[in-house]
Amino acid sequence: MILFDRVLLGITALILVTLAGLLLSTVWGSALLVDWLRSANLTMDGSIVALILVLLAVYILVLITRFERKKFIVYPRELGEVKISTSCVESLIVEATEQIPGLAQVSASFTDVVNPKVTVRVVVHPDHNLSRLSEDLQESVRSYVEKTVGIVIQEVDVFVDGIMKDDGDDVAKLEDLI
Amino acid sequence: MSETERRGELGELKIANDVVGIIAGLAAVEVPGVAGMSGGIAGGIAEMLGHRNLSKGVKVDVGEHECVVDLFLIIEYGYSIPEVAQQIQENVKRTIEVMTGLDVMEVNLHVLGVQFPQEKKGEEAQIPAPRGK
């Protein structure tokens, strides 16, 4: 979700809360909303408010369709094409890394579907050689995806986001450790 | 309801598009490795309301003597997707051709998710949250 989406969704939430507040205050006896509805400027103000609400509603609909549009990896077969959603491959990648010792948390995301590129973000347990761990991870991801999905990942970028401390769920960010 | 029509010596035979869809759906789910079909949000709501849709996750485009099928699927974890895909395409094509006599031009597959063993009835596997060991 980009910054623009966050800002507009924030504004939508604010407007909805304001409307709810105005309705509640009217229910509890406040004349603020009623006065505004009876005011002489209602034609102008009401039109502006209605227009803003309609625009926000349209934006939310666009947002929904944008989120529904999944990204697919496509490869043609003799009997028709096979499309595999990237979220499906990403969940397989996370599962594939389960066997690698030293990894505490893993998340994967595709950055390119035409020349498949994957970014894997990990939090690791301490006392593991990060370079070797990354190489194991890259090799596992590449071979597993090739075997189960039938595509060759061109690039596997590994980001080590942090180290899992021994005493539980606490994650130390690398910047804090350096 | 749109349908395919054929005139024989003794009368005409009409096959509804939905029937082709149901045949395709059933042929797909009987292949080992297919966890189920994905009918999207509308299909899920309809199913919650008790409407069992056998052609869920199937889109058929039927011409006079041929058809193109699109299937939206969930695959079981542990299976090779290319192998399962090949079997689905062959099984769907064969079944539709044998049962309806239509020529299947294409069987396009859309793999929307993977079902992991611990997921009992989730329709679609989401990206698992970062796991802790």
Side-chain angles (χ1 to χ4, degrees):
Chain A
M1 188 181 284
I2 57 173
L3 184 68
F4 179 72
D5 293 334
R6 289 171 203 266
V7 170
L8 276 184
L9 283 177
I11 292 171
T12 309
L14 205 65
I15 289 173
L16 288 176
V17 168
T18 311
L19 282 176
L22 280 171
L23 277 174
L24 274 178
S25 62
T26 308
V27 169
W28 288 333
S30 164
L32 196 65
L33 185 62
V34 180
D35 287 347
W36 178 68
L37 286 172
R38 283 179 183 158
S39 70
N41 296 330
L42 182 66
T43 321
M44 186 68 181
D45 295 353
S47 306
I48 291 170
V49 171
L51 184 68
I52 290 171
L53 288 175
V54 168
L55 286 176
L56 284 174
V58 170
Y59 162 72
I60 288 171
L61 284 176
V62 171
L63 198 66
I64 289 168
T65 52
R66 217 169 70 199
F67 274 107
E68 275 186 350
R69 213 179 301 136
K70 288 180 174 236
K71 279 200 275 181
F72 287 94
I73 291 162
V74 185
Y75 54 96
R77 304 292 287 255
E78 208 180 307
L79 290 174
E81 61 185 21
V82 177
K83 293 181 177 181
I84 304 175
S85 81
T86 51
S87 64
C88 160
V89 183
E90 285 159 4
S91 61
L92 281 171
I93 289 171
V94 172
E95 203 64 25
T97 57
E98 200 156 55
Q99 309 303 324
I100 302 171
L103 294 178
Q105 292 176 0
V106 184
S107 66
S109 61
F110 269 86
T111 46
D112 190 352
V113 289
V114 182
N115 301 305
K117 278 185 194 169
V118 180
T119 297
V120 183
R121 307 191 81 95
V122 293
V123 172
V124 299
H125 287 296
D127 302 328
H128 281 87
N129 182 312
L130 292 182
S131 165
R132 204 177 307 137
L133 192 64
S134 305
E135 279 173 21
D136 286 351
L137 181 66
Q138 286 169 322
E139 193 45 50
S140 300
V141 168
R142 190 191 288 264
S143 60
Y144 185 82
V145 171
E146 196 174 342
K147 194 179 78 183
T148 57
V149 185
I151 55 163
V152 180
I153 303 269
Q154 304 288 331
E155 208 173 297
V156 182
D157 297 326
V158 179
F159 288 86
V160 181
D161 276 345
I163 310 281
M164 178 73 82
K165 286 181 184 168
D166 278 341
D167 54 349
D169 301 332
D170 203 6
V171 176
K173 291 282 172 197
L174 274 190
E175 304 90 72
D176 304 336
L177 297 170
I178 295 167
Chain B
M1 187 187 293
S2 46
E3 50 196 23
T4 309
E5 190 178 320
R6 272 179 223 189
R7 181 160 288 281
E9 218 174 287
L10 292 173
E12 62 184 17
L13 166 68
K14 290 180 178 177
I15 302 171
N17 286 3
D18 264 5
V19 172
V20 182
I22 291 168
I23 293 169
L26 291 175
V29 291
E30 72 183 19
V31 172
V34 177
M37 308 300 290
S38 175
I41 297 168
I45 293 169
E47 207 156 68
M48 271 194 286
L49 296 171
H51 176 70
R52 191 161 176 247
N53 185 4
L54 290 173
S55 60
K56 184 177 90 167
V58 184
K59 192 174 141 245
V60 284
D61 200 355
V62 184
E64 206 171 325
H65 297 289
E66 72 291 314
C67 69
V68 172
V69 183
D70 280 81
L71 298 165
F72 300 82
L73 312 140
I74 311 293
I75 299 288
E76 272 179 45
Y77 174 70
Y79 284 85
S80 161
I81 295 177
E83 282 172 26
V84 175
Q86 178 78 26
Q87 287 175 38
I88 295 167
Q89 287 179 321
E90 284 171 2
N91 201 35
V92 169
K93 180 180 164 67
R94 189 177 54 242
T95 312
I96 292 177
E97 287 182 347
V98 167
M99 289 186 73
T100 65
L102 288 166
D103 285 330
V104 179
M105 307 301 288
E106 280 178 22
V107 180
N108 300 317
L109 305 184
H110 307 249
V111 180
L112 298 180
V114 177
Q115 183 171 283
F116 293 98
Q118 66 269 25
E119 288 171 9
K120 283 178 186 161
K121 249 204 139 182
E123 186 199 37
E124 185 178 335
Q126 301 295 329
I127 306 167
R131 60 197 160 75
K133 278 186 179 172

